[in-house]
């Protein structure tokens, strides 16, 4: 079953995924593609920031802790470049302090790892409606 959140024939809903864990990154990418999303996956925040296509994406799904740049700083740098899509953080280090800081920076959702597909899909749908 394909998800048609904000899709049109001219612009499929595009999601950026950045996670340094190859298993998490690949499984997230495959799950989202199976739902009908266009997915651009990156091994690092720096790679995502260096790709000019990232500024045209609708949604960001990013890990909190990555070796080169954390998810909070990544979103701040994307926003500074003018990106205004919805943002979802995933983290194995989820706690109330991270949740508050992530929301302050502009994340709509913070999802604890291990990642549950339904929770991520619901967060994407909710964020897409809010940005639609």
């Amino acid at each position: 079953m394909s998800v048609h959140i904000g899709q049109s024939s001219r612009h499929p809903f595009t999601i950026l995924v950045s996670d340094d864990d190859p298993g998490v990154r690949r499984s997230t990418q495959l799950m989202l593609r199976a739902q009908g999303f266009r997915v651009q996956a990156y091994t690092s925040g720096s790679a995502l920031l260096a790709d000019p296509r990232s500024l045209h994406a609708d949604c960001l799904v990013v890990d909190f802790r990555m070796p080169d740049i954390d998810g909070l700083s990544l979103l701040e740098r994307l926003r500074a470049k003018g990106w205004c899509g919805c943002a979802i953080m995933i983290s194995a280090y989820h706690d109330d302090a991270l949740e508050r800081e992530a929301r302050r920076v502009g994340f709509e959702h913070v999802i604890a790892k291990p990642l549950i597909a339904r929770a991520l899909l619901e967060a994407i749908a909710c964020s897409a409606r809010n940005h639609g």
Side-chain angles (χ1 to χ4, degrees), residues 108-122:
E108 286 90 349
H109 300 275
V110 180
I111 302 173
K113 289 182 181 178
L115 197 57
I116 298 171
R118 186 176 61 178
L120 180 57
L121 291 171
E122 288 173 359

Side-chain angles (χ1 to χ4, degrees), residues 23-37 39:
V24 172
R25 185 178 59 252
R26 184 69 176 147
S27 63
T28 302
Q29 180 181 24
L30 290 172
M31 183 265 301
L32 293 172
R33 282 186 177 161
Q35 293 297 313
F37 296 108
V39 181

Side-chain angles (χ1 to χ4, degrees), residues 5 122 124-132:
I5 300 168
E122 288 173 359
I124 290 169
C126 179
S127 294
R129 282 190 301 271
N130 291 339
H131 280 84

Side-chain angles (χ1 to χ4, degrees), residues 15-114:
I15 301 173
L16 306 172
V17 174
S18 186
D19 195 310
D20 60 309
D21 181 319
V24 172
R25 185 178 59 252
R26 184 69 176 147
S27 63
T28 302
Q29 180 181 24
L30 290 172
M31 183 265 301
L32 293 172
R33 282 186 177 161
Q35 293 297 313
F37 296 108
R38 177 182 290 166
V39 181
Q40 294 168 211
Y42 302 88
T43 59
S44 69
S46 298
L48 186 152
L49 289 168
D51 185 352
R53 297 176 303 163
S54 65
L55 297 177
H56 303 290
D58 301 294
C59 183
L60 170 69
V61 176
V62 63
D63 188 18
F64 168 55
R65 284 195 181 170
M66 295 187 291
D68 62 334
I69 182 173
D70 67 53
L72 300 168
S73 299
L74 177 60
L75 179 58
E76 288 177 324
R77 290 172 71 178
L78 273 175
R79 297 282 192 229
K81 289 181 166 193
W83 185 76
C84 57
C86 55
I88 300 166
M89 177 178 284
I90 56 176
S91 179
Y93 304 95
H94 185 272
D95 62 17
D96 290 340
L98 175 60
E99 178 100 22
R100 282 190 302 275
E101 183 63 11
R103 292 195 184 274
R104 184 193 66 75
V105 170
F107 284 94
E108 286 90 349
H109 300 275
V110 180
I111 302 173
K113 289 182 181 178

Side-chain angles (χ1 to χ4, degrees), residues 2-14:
S2 210
V3 176
H4 298 284
I5 300 168
Q7 291 185 11
S8 73
S9 60
R10 296 178 62 213
H11 179 66
F13 195 86
T14 302

